[in-house]
Amino acid sequence: MPKMVECSSCGRSYNADATVGCPLCGEGWQDGSLREESESPSGLHIVTTESVPGFRVDRMVGGVFATASTNWQAGSTKKGIWNNQESRMEWAVQTALARMGQKAESMGADAIIGTTVAVNESEGSNLSFRSTGAVVMGTAVILKALEQTSEQGV
């Protein structure tokens, strides 16, 4: 069950396990506070490659995808990361990866391989409104550890 919290600034509820700040107003965000690894708290590996070092794919579970987007309006009282395009994009990608990881875990997967990411930034007609979104997709799999032989070392 996701850990839902209420934003102290705007009152919106959001999944604290999937993001590090409110997706509506940005409350709780600090530059540099984003997750550095694409691995869920339970250890699910999310990789762009077709394999995970030290493991082999035992079984494919299925395709998974997720999206995340945020909106920002010029003149907003909320400053900080929402004024920074890179931070908005990183928030969208990290949130989408976390959501995709939750879907894969609910399917019983150990990893997501072949992950691809698409990000889009768009502006409204008066250039005062911006929307940033991300779509991530990959293949959920169950892994099996490779056995080491004496020749491979211990």
Side-chain angles (χ1 to χ4, degrees), residues 1 19 25 30 36 40 57-59 87-88 93 116 137:
M1 185 82 173
T19 183
C25 72
Q30 302 293 326
E36 293 298 319
S40 73
V57 174
D58 188 50
R59 188 177 57 165
S87 295
R88 288 191 308 271
V93 169
T116 59
M137 61 191 81

Side-chain angles (χ1 to χ4, degrees), residues 65-152:
F65 77 96
T67 63
S69 63
T70 186
N71 301 319
W72 177 83
Q73 187 166 1
S76 160
T77 58
K78 277 294 180 193
K79 301 298 181 195
I81 69 114
W82 299 114
N83 289 338
N84 179 312
Q85 180 186 32
E86 181 180 356
S87 295
R88 288 191 308 271
M89 287 182 167
E90 189 167 353
W91 177 89
V93 169
Q94 291 294 339
T95 300
L97 286 170
R99 289 175 180 169
M100 183 175 68
Q102 290 172 343
K103 288 180 181 181
E105 287 176 328
S106 73
M107 297 165 68
D110 299 322
I112 302 171
I113 61 173
T115 301
T116 59
V117 177
V119 182
N120 183 48
E121 173 96 356
S122 60
E123 294 182 348
S125 59
N126 62 3
L127 301 180
S128 66
F129 178 81
R130 292 189 178 120
S131 176
T132 304
V135 177
V136 296
M137 61 191 81
T139 304
V141 297
I142 294 176
L143 300 174
K144 186 167 187 169
L146 294 175
E147 294 182 24
Q148 288 191 343
T149 65
S150 59
E151 294 173 4
Q152 292 175 316

Side-chain angles (χ1 to χ4, degrees), residues 47 49-53 55 57 113-114 143:
V47 297
T49 58
E50 296 301 320
S51 63
V52 177
F55 296 89
V57 174
I113 61 173
L143 300 174

